[in-house]
Amino acid sequence: MASVRDIVRRFLDRPGSVDLSPYQRIVTEAAALEAEVREREELRAGEVGTAEFCAVVREAARRSLGERPFDVQLVGTLAMLDGHVAQMATGEGKTLAGALAAAGFALQGKQVHAVSVNDYLARRDAEWMRPLYETLGLTVGWISETSTPEERREAYRKDVTYAAVSELGFDVLRDRLVTDPADLIVPAPQVALVDEADSVLVDEARVPLVLAGAADPGTAVPEMAALVRRLSRGYHYKVDQEGRAVFLTTKGTDTVEKALGVDLYQDPGVVTGLNLALHAHALLTRDVDYIVRDGRVHLINQSRGRVALLQRWPDGLQAAVEAKEKLPASETGEILDSITIQGLLRRYPQICGMTGTALAVGEQLREFYDLRVAVVPPNKPCVRVDEPDRIFATAERKLEALLEEIGDQHATGRPILIGTLDVAESERLDEALRARGLSPVVLNAKNDAEEAAVIAGAGALGAITVSTQMAGRGTDIRLGGHASADGSESAVAELGGLYVIGTGRHDSSRLDDQLRGRAGRQGDPGGSVFFVSGEDELLAAYAPGEPMPDADADGLVRDKRGDLLVGHAQRVAEGVNLEIHRNTWRYTRLMEEQRGHVLELRDRVLHGDAATQALKDALPERYNELAEAVGDETVERACRQIVLFHLDRCWTEHLGFLSDLREGIHLRSLGRLNPLDEFNKEAVPAYRALLDEVEQRSKETFETVDVTGDLADQGLKRPTATWTYLVQDNPFGSDWDRVLQRVAGVLKRRRKK
Ligand code: ADP
Ligand code: MG
């Protein structure tokens, strides 16, 4: 509930951005110190956030990187040090501005986690900025998916640690199972400095990071996959408007029952399997939602258009997709713990960040993280020419016009970057261009290893680069390409610079802006345009039934209402996403609070003698008897292991309970009760019961267990293998509740045993 103070503050702060003038004053003062600081042999930053600080870090960057930070970069740095999100356009040098801010925090003795959107950028930025940090007497490290636990521990010991948000989250989750303090990896969170802040803090906020433990081997479901492959869409089954749900028609039900020889209403187990197979078959598309590589299914991260490593769908669905692709089923397990990206970042007492597009989500940044946006102007004015959308009635006309435009632009030698909405589209376009004798380079989830080289070349004379949203973030495209062969940079500039073409508007204007931002960096010339058709998914999903005005003879829709319709569809999409985000958070918030409590408790058990004290108080005779027999130390260790085991076990079960509850609440809300109230009404006492349960089970175990024996053999068996994954938002709608729905299935089965 927004307090009056919040409302007033919101009102006063309109249009919602931070006043830059104090920062600008400091930066002006810093200029006066520049000459003097340059003479200094040793660089000491002085008080963080002052003119002295700015002058010194500027000099440090100049000496170590050969780049003298522009005034606007220092303004961005100061804004971040103040705990804001700095909005700075693409190519303005956020990596450096962010590193200066990170250095500022580190000089105040705070450990900084520089959060990237992927491993490639984490490593690139850490290595790139290393000389700067070292000049300031600071240490820096990075983590990637392949880092070992020891490498991770080492990286977290540095003043500044660069890591992809998923790696951070997985480390936090894995620490969650540690039974010996020496095995912990992640230190207590202090400062998170988030690159591409809108993407991480808003778009991916509700994505759950999941820790699962191996139990059963995977169950293959090839029969179901084979069965649904024979069904036809529209006749046997239907897909809802948004492509998020699929259901059998009466005809389909008959066919399935005959084929399987069962009555579907009598056999819920079969129905679950069938639904999963149908989902995999009808709602998930190869090369859009996932790709198959090395005989395995790899998810594609929708908002980044790249392969999401070590990520998988909740078990049943993963197995169904594997069966659909005729692959063997990978192992299954149960979800031991989970945290959303929002929950992960909210652990940090201090957050700040940077991105090219923050203002459009200013409201959400404030609502969910209490962050404000500082809009930093560009160093040189942007001269990119953003053309109005070219709108066509049909997808076919759009494609024709698109190919023609690419051909025309390419004929001049101008480099072109084409942003597609998904992998399949990038491949279709690649084919069509090749058929016309062109040789585009395709950058998509299938060849992410080559991304750096491809990106560096995208600004070269005559380059045609086709890319999913992957190239939309973090990459630096220089005119003229690589180390820019002499003269080619100015040749490209004369042609108008990089030309960015979007093959369709995204479901958020920020993604459009990110794509456009690939061109026109640092005052370079450049251009951008989007091709849109009345048959685009955005319009079908968010403005269904609203007719596109008639096209002119050349196929182009020039009627203003066409533009309005596209803008309307995009705003509806943004609204829907915000609502889903809010709603998910309403439910996950309580859970994450409870999770926080459990972890505090766990920490006390892990690091202290809380377990021993509790069991000694509850069962003094048993304690003394054991202590006499085997010594205090052994008993204490056993106490700790026992309580940790039950705490972790009960939490996993509680998670399952919450998901069941969340699922059932929808039904109750039909009876006009407020579903969220209902949810809270049960979730709170269930959590209290959890704590009692832990105590009860721990006492029972303590009474009977042989403390010198192997506890694992006495019912305290921990998962032998664990793995982590990130559940992507996809057309299937695997946001939090859907994940939990699936978890619920697994846990329900388990609890019955
Ligand atoms: P952003 O993240 O804002 O899109 P980057 O951090 O990737 O931008 O930097 C874009 C380019 O600008 C890089 O090639 C970088 O070396 C260059 N750059 C950044 N700051 C400066 C500076 N002060 N002087 C010269 N070049 C700079
Ligand atoms: Mg960047």
Side-chain angles (χ1 to χ4, degrees):
M1 208 53 43
S3 71
V4 173
R5 212 189 68 207
D6 282 345
I7 294 166
V8 170
R9 197 177 59 171
R10 205 168 296 175
F11 178 76
L12 292 175
D13 280 348
R14 238 164 256 271
S17 57
V18 173
D19 177 17
L20 298 183
S21 48
Y23 308 138
Q24 277 155 342
R25 267 198 301 278
I26 297 174
V27 170
T28 309
E29 284 172 42
L33 300 174
E34 190 161 353
E36 186 258 314
V37 170
R38 199 167 286 197
E39 300 303 314
R40 292 186 198 171
E41 217 161 282
E42 212 178 314
L43 293 178
R44 267 180 219 248
E47 197 189 327
V48 173
T50 60
E52 168 91 11
F53 165 82
C54 288
V56 169
V57 295
R58 166 180 272 166
E59 177 60 13
R62 199 189 62 81
R63 286 186 198 174
S64 58
L65 304 173
E67 286 176 358
R68 173 188 172 276
F70 304 121
D71 285 0
V72 285
Q73 281 175 301
L74 291 177
V75 168
T77 300
L78 292 172
M80 285 185 254
L81 279 168
D82 254 359
H84 301 307
V85 173
Q87 170 165 307
M88 299 168 70
T90 308
E92 285 295 303
K94 287 186 288 293
T95 315
L96 176 54
L100 297 177
F105 285 117
L107 289 168
Q108 293 170 330
K110 295 178 187 160
Q111 262 181 337
V112 183
H113 291 171
V115 181
S116 307
V117 290
N118 61 50
D119 282 2
Y120 161 69
L121 292 173
R123 181 179 180 165
R124 182 198 73 174
D125 292 354
E127 292 305 338
W128 181 7
M129 294 296 134
R130 180 183 299 281
L132 168 69
Y133 289 116
E134 288 176 352
T135 303
L136 290 166
L138 298 167
T139 55
V140 59
W142 53 268
I143 288 166
S144 82
E145 196 197 331
T146 52
S147 305
T148 63
E150 199 32 63
E151 286 165 347
R152 286 168 194 266
R153 234 171 259 132
E154 186 62 34
Y156 284 120
R157 274 196 284 268
K158 309 291 187 196
D159 296 312
V160 182
T161 312
Y162 285 80
V165 67
S166 47
E167 287 310 310
L168 275 173
F170 293 152
D171 282 342
V172 165
L173 286 174
R174 280 186 289 251
D175 268 357
R176 168 79 182 71
L177 288 188
V178 160
T179 54
D180 178 348
D183 293 335
L184 287 170
I185 287 185
V186 196
Q190 298 186 25
V191 181
L193 190 148
V194 187
D195 193 10
E196 306 296 356
D198 61 320
S199 170
V200 174
L201 296 175
V202 176
D203 298 336
E204 311 220 328
R206 63 179 192 274
V207 170
L209 300 160
V210 179
L211 176 74
D216 311 324
T219 28
V221 277
E223 307 77 28
M224 286 294 185
L227 174 61
V228 298
R229 216 170 277 139
R230 302 206 316 261
L231 304 179
S232 22
R233 181 169 175 154
Y235 184 68
H236 292 113
Y237 64 87
K238 291 198 163 134
V239 174
D240 78 341
Q241 279 250 318
E242 280 137 29
R244 280 174 172 254
V246 53
F247 44 90
L248 286 177
T249 59
T250 325
K251 207 75 220 141
T253 311
D254 285 350
T255 310
V256 168
E257 290 189 333
K258 253 187 224 117
L260 298 175
V262 296
D263 177 351
L264 285 182
Y265 290 97
Q266 299 297 316
D267 207 332
V270 174
V271 175
T272 308
L274 182 72
N275 276 335
L276 288 169
L278 260 180
H279 276 301
H281 180 73
L283 302 183
L284 296 176
T285 312
R286 183 168 171 164
D287 290 341
V288 174
D289 303 305
Y290 64 93
I291 60 171
V292 174
R293 185 166 66 190
D294 309 328
R296 287 182 42 202
V297 170
H298 298 264
L299 269 68
I300 288 172
N301 179 325
Q302 290 292 310
S303 71
R304 301 200 292 262
R306 70 172 63 225
V307 170
L309 284 168
L310 271 189
Q311 296 174 11
R312 40 186 284 154
W313 284 290
D315 285 327
L317 188 59
Q318 181 81 18
V321 174
E322 284 157 352
K324 170 184 170 187
E325 296 295 340
K326 304 192 176 134
L327 298 168
S330 46
E331 74 226 304
T332 71
E334 69 174 334
I335 294 185
L336 303 172
D337 195 15
S338 170
I339 187 170
T340 59
I341 286 184
Q342 181 161 334
L344 175 73
L345 288 162
R346 282 173 53 106
R347 296 165 65 246
Y348 288 83
Q350 187 147 29
I351 311 182
C352 62
M354 53 198 182
T355 172
T357 44
L359 203 55
V361 284
E363 198 57 36
Q364 297 181 61
L365 290 172
R366 164 173 291 166
E367 178 176 339
F368 297 117
Y369 303 92
D370 203 18
L371 281 168
R372 294 201 298 150
V373 177
V375 182
V376 181
N379 182 43
K380 289 188 198 152
C382 178
V383 298
R384 186 186 61 234
V385 180
D386 295 327
E387 295 170 35
D389 292 353
R390 293 191 206 165
I391 305 177
F392 301 85
T394 65
E396 202 186 327
R397 290 308 293 269
K398 176 175 99 168
L399 182 64
E400 271 169 36
L402 179 68
L403 291 170
E404 201 168 308
E405 175 72 15
I406 294 170
D408 290 351
Q409 293 284 343
H410 177 69
T412 69
R414 188 176 188 185
I416 307 169
L417 173 69
I418 304 145
T420 62
L421 298 177
D422 58 55
V423 178
E425 192 187 15
S426 70
E427 304 215 311
R428 280 197 304 273
L429 199 58
D430 178 48
E431 233 166 76
L433 289 168
R434 282 180 195 284
R436 298 190 158 211
L438 302 175
S439 7
V441 178
V442 182
L443 185 65
N444 64 30
K446 282 189 179 172
N447 57 4
D448 49 21
E450 297 151 40
E451 68 178 69
V454 174
I455 292 161
L461 206 60
I464 302 179
T465 310
V466 180
S467 167
T468 52
Q469 285 165 54
M470 174 177 215
R473 300 255 180 181
T475 60
D476 186 26
I477 303 177
R478 291 177 184 239
L479 295 190
H482 300 267
S484 191
D486 294 319
S488 72
E489 182 173 345
S490 58
V492 169
E494 253 159 55
L495 292 168
L498 181 67
Y499 192 46
V500 169
I501 303 177
T503 60
R505 294 269 300 264
H506 299 89
D507 60 9
S508 134
S509 62
R510 281 176 296 116
L511 295 180
D512 292 346
D513 291 345
Q514 287 284 349
L515 180 61
R516 285 189 205 282
R518 297 292 107 200
R521 57 184 278 290
Q522 288 281 347
D524 282 346
S528 75
V529 66
F530 280 84
F531 281 67
V532 179
S533 96
E535 293 175 350
D536 284 359
E537 231 176 271
L538 178 70
L539 288 142
Y542 297 104
E546 297 188 40
M548 184 57 83
D550 289 334
D552 293 347
D554 60 356
L556 207 55
V557 177
R558 290 192 180 77
D559 191 320
K560 268 282 150 249
R561 282 173 301 166
D563 274 323
L564 293 177
L565 186 59
V566 175
H568 166 74
Q570 193 174 55
R571 275 190 304 281
V572 171
E574 288 170 345
V576 166
N577 280 326
L578 171 57
E579 215 24 69
I580 295 177
H581 184 176
R582 276 210 181 108
N583 198 44
T584 311
W585 183 238
R586 279 185 198 118
Y587 286 92
T588 49
R589 172 176 212 141
L590 178 71
M591 200 213 76
E592 302 217 348
E593 273 170 18
Q594 295 183 340
R595 183 180 184 283
H597 274 169
V598 164
L599 284 192
E600 259 172 51
L601 246 170
R602 196 181 195 282
D603 268 354
R604 290 217 301 275
V605 173
L606 186 64
H607 296 287
D609 61 352
T612 314
Q613 284 308 330
L615 288 172
K616 200 173 180 177
D617 288 352
L619 305 161
E621 279 165 34
R622 169 77 175 155
Y623 183 91
N624 292 333
E625 170 198 329
L626 285 174
E628 241 160 71
V630 300
D632 277 311
E633 208 173 300
T634 306
V635 188
E636 274 166 24
R637 210 186 50 230
C639 286
R640 180 175 294 147
Q641 299 302 321
I642 290 168
V643 174
L644 287 178
F645 177 86
H646 289 304
L647 193 59
D648 293 346
R649 191 66 232 153
C650 287
W651 174 251
T652 297
E653 290 174 13
H654 182 64
L655 214 55
F657 169 78
L658 291 182
S659 68
D660 282 4
L661 184 62
R662 173 87 174 84
E663 197 178 348
I665 285 300
H666 289 304
L667 299 174
R668 271 187 247 180
S669 65
L670 296 175
R672 294 223 346 255
L673 294 167
N674 176 338
L676 185 63
D677 286 350
E678 288 299 296
F679 179 81
N680 288 339
K681 226 184 265 170
E682 297 206 20
V684 172
Y687 178 72
R688 271 187 229 122
L690 173 152
L691 298 179
D692 292 342
E693 184 75 19
V694 174
E695 191 183 329
Q696 200 50 43
R697 290 191 199 178
S698 298
K699 281 197 289 198
E700 274 167 30
T701 308
F702 188 61
E703 291 252 51
T704 54
V705 84
D706 166 13
V707 295
T708 55
D710 189 348
L711 296 178
D713 296 339
Q714 305 178 65
L716 304 196
K717 191 164 173 53
R718 288 185 163 275
T720 42
T722 60
W723 63 91
T724 49
Y725 55 89
L726 197 151
V727 183
Q728 281 307 328
D729 223 8
N730 54 43
F732 178 62
S734 59
D735 53 40
W736 186 249
D737 6 10
R738 281 170 196 269
V739 184
L740 287 184
Q741 277 173 25
R742 252 143 259 294
V743 182
V746 180
L747 293 176
K748 242 182 287 177
R749 262 179 276 134
R750 209 151 292 273
R751 251 178 296 170
K752 282 200 190 113
K753 279 189 198 154

